[in-house]
Amino acid sequence: MEVKKLSISWQFLIVLVLILQILSALDFDPYRVLGVSRTASQADIKKAYKKLAREWHPDKNKDPGAEDKFIQISKAYEILSNEGKRSHYDHYGDAGESQDYQKQQQREYRFRHFHENFYFDESFFHFPFNSERRDSIDEKYLLHFSHYVNEVVPDSFKKPYLIKITSDWCFSCIHIEPVWKEVVQELEGLGVGIGVVHAGYERRLAHHLGAHSTPSILGIINGKISFFHNAVVRENLRQFVESLLPGNLVEKVTNKNYIRFLSGWQQENKPHVLLFDQGPTVPLLYKLTAFAYKDYLSFGYVYVGLRGVEEMTRQYNINVYAPTILIFKEHINKPADMIQARGLKKQVIEDFITQNKYLLAARLTSQKLFHELCPVKRSHRQRKYCVVLLTAEAPKLSRPFEAFLSFALANTQDTVRFVHVHSGRQQEFARTLLPDSEVFQGKSAVSILERRNTAGRVVYKTLEDPWTGSESDKFILLGYLDQLRKDPALLSSEAVLPDLMDELAPIFLLRWLYSASDYLADCWDGIFHSNWREMMPLLSLIFSALFILFGTVIVQAFSDSNDERESHPPDKEEAPEKVGKTEPSFTKENSSKIPKKGFVEVTELTDVTYTSNLVRLRPGHMNVVLILSNSTKNSLLQKFALEVYSFTGSSCLHFSFLSLDKHREWLEYLLEFAQDAAPIPNQYDKHFLERDYTGYVLALNGHKKYFCLFKPQKTVEEEEAMGSCGDLDPSRGRPSCGLGPRPIKGKLSKLSLWMERLLEGSLQRFYIPSWPELD
């Protein structure tokens, strides 16, 4: 009886499992997700996907469920945009990429949910593909293409990023997951950026990063990508992040070079930071801080266990048993600020560094530094005044500058910033603030100014007498500052300051050498690692150059030997015969390029002519298609005929035109495969759907399924015509004037040169999996 009850209960469980499988299979319907019918065309599916993707993209929609909704939309579009997957889904209810393997995965997934709902022991029913739990680890680090381009790349100039490329049903991704989680928790606390790219949903970003397999780990710093090639263990990943940082970030300081290091503030125009610690190597947290603030401070490291460092520790009263950070500004004998604690945290160090980013009286060496030290007035309560010392450059500190520095140290205020300018290097800036008088020639002067806008407009007041640093000068300056708090109208003079010259910018030759060394380093790193796909273009170029070089040498050697053998020329009668033989072949070769007709036959590419003119085009034939609109049809066709007339003699070239007003989606689908040829537009820009593609020319090879792209360049007439359209039409909200026929024709001014390169085969080719339908 008990056995019978047990068999009935197991039968009930089996029936329940089948019901759950059916419900879970019906849970995801790509047609319902995209809101289209089962008879919808590819154009309708794509239009619905674009609309929903813009609405539910996590960067635009702050709803908590936006990310899950966006993933469902992407998955639904991936199924319905592929005819094979769509057909398999219509018949069997799944995408069917690999039927047996995927069905096994689905059974494991559904049965796992079944036993979790009934509280089965997970240690017994353990399945490795727990995608929900794996996604919960990486969920907050997921990257999208727009987020990567707009945020990660600019932020990589302040901190390195460690990015993992993963995908569904990846065995290796599961194996490295514990190590990745541990490393992320450690490095994120130190200031390293973390990112995760799902190759299944972000194929565009994965291709842009150069990741062709999963899992892949890469680092990004200063906008450059470096791949991780070692075993995925905690120590290797930590060393990889450390290797991304430049080697000259932190200088090792000892009792022999500390005076030289601290005295560099005058030349570098930066405060100098010293970390005293017991480790022989520089901590990674300190290196990351040095990279983040490399433009503002110089960093040094002192190993307190090194022999001879006792002199420094005694001079600055350092406790060698706890990490100590000192910041030195204009005075190297006494630190301007210090912090000492065991286990210094990232936030504590950043707050400490931020409060001491600038010198007491920094030198204005660039316009960027001027904007930061002397910001524009935002309101009456947020006034910022700059006290500027205009002085001559000297190898040693002059008495006027030392007096100005002591005055700045004694009068530190939130509303007043003290700076100085070398009048010899910034002559126009100094000439604007100084009155036209011989009193200030060769002498220092002090001006108080307030910036009113970013265009350079300031109000200022210059002290009537030169600045000598005497007590009377300090008293007068202090009186002006006290009076300025009560009456801002004290700054009665107005002027427009010129932009400051960048004094610390390297010369052109050094910038070129730096760029060349970086490029050679990247090539060297790529050659000796396994990322051969990225190195194939370079290797192909090298081997082609070597082949041409050696081929030229061999041909030259054979030609020299033939000249020696034929040093005694034959009779003169043979020469006319050779000439006569070569002349007909030359004329025959050129005659094929001569136009056979007096006109250019251009047909419109429609759904009727689409198959014959492109899809079933004979091998070796190409169709050159002009993109135009109804308003530009006549002018562009005339210019197009003139540019391609000399190429109509070839029987392998056909000429057509495509209406942009009717087939914009077909064109945008093709241009998605040519994104490396031009900057990728932001699909969330409000002008994205209004992009002007008139004047584009596509050379389509229907047999090999690739195309070449001609993009028109803006002419001077077009820019002038666009600049003259400043007024807006109030009824339409668009410019009231348009481009004339001459600027429109100018779009095809270089088409003939492009056609020559097309026949040479030197144009870049963009391959597509299949030709889309032309609705």
Side-chain angles (χ1 to χ4, degrees), residues 386-400:
C386 268
V387 183
V388 184
L389 172 66
L390 305 170
T391 182
E393 185 176 3
K396 295 183 179 181
L397 298 182
S398 59
R399 184 176 180 277

Side-chain angles (χ1 to χ4, degrees), residues 484-533:
L484 194 59
R485 297 174 189 171
K486 304 175 184 178
D487 184 16
L490 177 66
L491 306 180
S492 56
S493 302
E494 292 189 11
V496 177
L497 292 177
D499 290 344
L500 291 167
M501 179 186 67
D502 193 351
E503 300 178 10
L504 302 180
I507 60 177
F508 172 76
L509 181 60
L510 290 178
R511 290 201 301 268
W512 185 85
L513 291 176
Y514 292 155
S515 301
S517 63
D518 292 341
Y519 179 76
L520 292 176
D522 293 341
C523 294
W524 183 267
D525 181 73
I527 290 174
F528 287 95
H529 290 94
S530 59
N531 195 14
W532 291 101
R533 293 194 182 189

Side-chain angles (χ1 to χ4, degrees), residues 547-561:
F547 178 78
I548 293 173
L549 178 63
F550 285 108
T552 305
V553 172
I554 293 173
V555 170
Q556 186 67 28
F558 276 106
S559 63
D560 292 343
S561 61

Side-chain angles (χ1 to χ4, degrees), residues 262 270-274 297 316 325-339 352 355-361 405 409 412:
L262 297 178
K270 298 177 182 178
H272 284 58
V273 186
L274 278 182
L297 302 99
Y316 300 120
I325 300 179
L326 305 181
I327 289 188
F328 295 83
K329 296 186 178 180
E330 284 86 352
H331 300 98
I332 66 174
N333 296 324
K334 182 181 179 181
D337 202 354
M338 69 173 295
I339 183 174
F352 177 70
Q355 296 173 1
N356 298 276
K357 282 174 62 176
Y358 305 104
L359 298 170
L360 291 174
L405 191 60
L409 183 61
T412 54

Side-chain angles (χ1 to χ4, degrees), residues 49-65:
Y49 166 71
K50 285 185 176 182
K51 180 181 178 181
L52 292 174
R54 290 184 180 131
E55 179 182 355
W56 290 99
H57 198 285
D59 292 345
K60 299 294 182 181
N61 195 324
K62 301 304 180 183
D63 189 275

